[in-house]
Amino acid sequence: MDDGSRRLQELLRDGLATPMQSLMGEPPIWAVVAEHLTREVGATAKHDSRGVVYSPDQFTLSLHTVDARTLAGNSPNVQVELARVIQAALAQAGFSFVRNPHVTLSSDPTLKIGEARVIAWHSRDPLSLSTEAGVPEEPLTPPAVGAFLIVDGKRHFRLDRPLITIGRKLDNHLVLADPHVSRRHAEVRKQGGRHMLRDLNSTSGTRVNGSLIDEHLLQAGDVITISGITLIYGEDAAGPPGTTQRYTPPSMGRKDPNQVTPLDLRKIDGTATRPTEDQGGGPKGD
């Protein structure tokens, strides 16, 4: 490692210690992330004819599901905080930017607790831009490819329809059998190549990264909370992580490969039974 890389890694490690202090481990996970970031920046940085070195401005930080939940739960704005720290460290190390850095926190159950993976890229090729181009306020948002939800870190559900409904009733595409989940709780609608999450005036509300939302344009790594159930939004052209299984509906005399149901659906005598209000299926007013 040359002196410049060593300095960048030290700056990143020191800066990441505060926003990532909720994660325990040895070595500290912020040191692991700093090492991966330094390696990715070194591999993807671009040099123009004037000697200016451009850092990548898009970063995806993947952590084990537990670490990602902890980080997002303790600091709802952690992606913004991480981006600020990374930008400050890179600027101190002499890098320039076409756009302000953007960080996406992603959950990957194939990683071990304390492990991390970083992917970095340029939202636009800095060598193809004129020096007068300026820096747009917002980073480019590419179309969603291979979008999916990880449900409670165990099962995955592909977002392969223009409209996905989420709720307690069994005719939803994604069924969450929890009495605090409304019959029609939320929906995910394809919009401009991305996925928009909307709360459907539910009783208990829908949260993204800890904040209540009416609607939210999903970004990879967003942590959605519906009642006590956690859904993590991900994007991968190769599809959901291979270690997660797809939800399958209970045997109700009909099969719909696009409908999924949690494993804790109420069962009587080993036969899956449709939840009813008399069985504690949930509030009657939503």
Side-chain angles (χ1 to χ4, degrees), residues 8 37 40-42 44-47 52-59 86-87 90-91 94-99 101 120-124 126:
L8 175 59
L37 277 168
E40 276 291 295
V41 169
T44 57
K46 295 191 175 185
H47 303 246
V52 178
V53 184
Y54 288 94
S55 166
D57 52 59
Q58 301 294 298
F59 299 89
I86 291 171
Q87 181 173 11
L90 288 167
F95 288 89
S96 297
F97 309 92
V98 170
R99 295 177 181 273
W121 70 96
H122 296 264
S123 60
R124 299 183 68 183

Side-chain angles (χ1 to χ4, degrees), residues 39-279:
R39 188 182 308 126
E40 276 291 295
V41 169
T44 57
K46 295 191 175 185
H47 303 246
D48 71 7
S49 59
R50 301 166 298 160
V52 178
V53 184
Y54 288 94
S55 166
D57 52 59
Q58 301 294 298
F59 299 89
T60 295
L61 170 58
S62 298
L63 304 174
H64 183 274
T65 304
V66 172
D67 285 337
R69 285 183 186 174
T70 300
L71 197 58
N74 288 334
S75 180
N77 296 319
V78 68
Q79 295 181 139
V80 175
E81 295 172 13
L82 292 173
R84 289 173 179 167
V85 166
I86 291 171
Q87 181 173 11
L90 288 167
Q92 282 186 265
F95 288 89
S96 297
F97 309 92
V98 170
R99 295 177 181 273
N100 293 328
H102 175 75
V103 174
T104 298
L105 179 63
S106 178
S107 168
D108 186 348
T110 65
L111 295 172
K112 297 179 181 178
I113 293 177
E115 288 186 339
R117 182 171 62 249
V118 175
I119 301 174
W121 70 96
H122 296 264
S123 60
R124 299 183 68 183
D125 182 1
L127 305 186
S128 68
L129 302 175
S130 67
T131 55
E132 295 80 23
V135 179
E137 294 183 358
E138 297 294 336
L140 290 178
T141 303
V145 177
F148 56 88
L149 296 172
I150 300 294
V151 185
D152 272 342
K154 298 176 182 178
R155 299 288 187 271
H156 68 256
F157 178 73
R158 292 178 183 268
L159 299 177
D160 52 8
R161 289 187 169 195
L163 175 65
I164 302 292
T165 59
I166 304 172
R168 194 179 72 247
K169 288 188 67 176
L170 291 183
D171 57 357
N172 287 285
H173 298 106
L174 176 55
V175 180
L176 303 178
D178 185 296
H180 300 290
V181 175
S182 295
R183 294 178 179 85
R184 287 282 187 271
H185 197 104
E187 67 178 24
V188 179
R189 184 182 296 272
K190 197 79 173 286
Q191 182 171 309
R194 303 296 305 173
H195 289 93
M196 179 70 75
L197 172 69
R198 289 190 177 89
D199 181 81
L200 299 178
N201 296 317
S202 65
T203 300
S204 59
T206 302
R207 294 179 179 270
V208 177
N209 301 326
S211 300
L212 280 171
I213 60 98
D214 291 321
E215 65 176 24
H216 175 82
L217 188 64
L218 290 168
Q219 301 290 332
D222 279 345
V223 180
I224 306 164
T225 306
I226 294 178
S227 185
I229 300 171
T230 299
L231 313 173
I232 299 178
Y233 175 76
E235 296 174 8
D236 191 333
T243 54
T244 61
Q245 299 179 8
R246 184 169 184 166
Y247 267 130
T248 55
S251 178
M252 299 294 295
R254 60 183 175 86
K255 294 183 179 180
D256 180 354
N258 293 297
Q259 185 183 36
V260 296
T261 304
L263 297 180
D264 62 353
L265 182 67
R266 184 185 298 274
K267 293 186 176 183
I268 299 176
D269 296 329
T271 302
T273 303
R274 185 187 300 269
T276 66
E277 301 302 334
D278 293 337
Q279 294 174 330

